[in-house]
Amino acid sequence: MRALLVVNPAATTTSARTRDVLIHALASEMKLEAVTTEYRGHGRDLARRAADSGEIDLVVALGGDGTVNEVVNGLLHAGPDPEGLPKLAVVPGGSTNVFARALGLPNDAVEATGAILDALATRSERTVGLGLAAGTPGTPDEGVPGRWFTFCAGYGFDASVIGRVEQQRELGKRSTHPLYVRQVVRQFLQYPHRHHGTIALERPGADPVTDLVVAIVANTSPWTYLGNRPIYVSPDASFDTGLDLLGLSRLSTPAVARYATQLLRSTPERGPHGKHAVTVHDMDDFTLNSKVPLPFQMDGDHLGLRTSVTFTGVRHALRVIV
């Protein structure tokens, strides 16, 4: 098997020595080329060349969810073709690793590598659905190209938190769960739209849902992890269905306390709920519009401000080794 290993040297939970061990383990079972990313978007460029070459059977992403997102977008730059594109394998190296864990892989890089080698030996794989988000025609964002996401996208409050975390990381802070919690609190105290939401959900065959403060789009469940605790916003979300959405129309202090408690107590059967919560399951096409530009994120990567985003749930988009 011919394989490309895309290595993020800034991955927060793997040392250089660990990465060397993983590379040797993978190289013992396949013809492996290992490339270290050197700039933002490099993983996408490497995966795109692998997809176009027709010579690579497998692309392995060693890093966090951001690295995985780049590799997926490179593989799918010309659209899904599960039978014609290289397969994907993921070795978790970030702080949270939602996509890898949602696939059932261990959260330890060495153990995950062993699981991947076992899966290759038994030819164990699955085809997963993904989300695609693009600028909406007829809006100021119509020129924004489509981008794939593996497990979630967020519009409004949660994307603002991601933006704050990225600012702290640029100042040299490590991406840790306490850092995220601190930024949630600070963003809550400063967020101007938490009492009067500006987001509207529009989908074919249904009335619009308006005045949302935050909209979280899920492609799988759990949504994220707080340490080892899984957090469920859309428990029914799955790689085998369309996209799910949780929208909240109020983030007052009592509402935030209630939803935070519900998130911490969430289970695979029950997520956040109440009169200010909107949940929608298994959507293939829908649009989120905002009266004012709001932050937008995909797979934990802050993408700036958007006034409108159109989403598509694409089933059977990519083959993954598990």
Side-chain angles (χ1 to χ4, degrees), residues 88-237:
L88 171 70
V90 178
V91 178
S95 59
T96 310
N97 308 305
V98 178
F99 183 64
R101 293 161 88 172
L103 290 170
L105 290 169
N107 197 36
D108 176 81
V110 175
E111 293 183 9
T113 300
I116 290 168
L117 291 175
D118 289 343
L120 288 169
T122 59
R123 298 185 179 180
S124 176
E125 61 183 61
R126 65 178 292 191
T127 303
V128 299
L130 300 173
L132 180 66
T136 305
T139 73
D141 293 318
E142 65 179 349
V144 177
R147 178 164 170 167
W148 297 89
F149 60 97
T150 63
F151 66 92
C152 85
Y155 195 34
F157 180 82
D158 82 308
S160 300
V161 173
I162 296 294
R164 295 180 69 100
V165 169
E166 289 193 1
Q167 290 175 351
Q168 293 299 309
R169 293 187 66 182
E170 290 174 358
L171 295 174
K173 300 290 182 64
R174 284 177 57 84
S175 178
T176 62
H177 294 104
L179 175 63
Y180 275 87
V181 172
R182 289 196 299 271
Q183 300 313 314
V184 167
V185 174
R186 292 171 181 172
Q187 184 62 29
F188 168 72
L189 296 174
Q190 299 177 10
Y191 196 62
H193 307 296
R194 60 190 177 97
H195 294 292
H196 304 286
T198 66
I199 302 170
L201 164 65
E202 299 181 3
R203 53 197 169 112
D207 294 333
V209 179
T210 60
D211 301 326
L212 299 175
V213 178
V214 59
I216 298 173
V217 181
N219 185 50
T220 189
S221 188
W223 168 56
T224 190
Y225 292 82
L226 188 60
N228 289 322
R229 180 192 293 271
I231 304 295
Y232 302 88
V233 300
S234 298
D236 294 329

Side-chain angles (χ1 to χ4, degrees), residues 237-258:
S238 168
F239 290 129
D240 299 319
T241 64
L243 301 174
D244 284 26
L245 179 138
L246 170 69
L248 302 178
S249 59
R250 182 168 298 180
L251 286 182
S252 61
T253 301
V256 166
R258 182 169 62 254

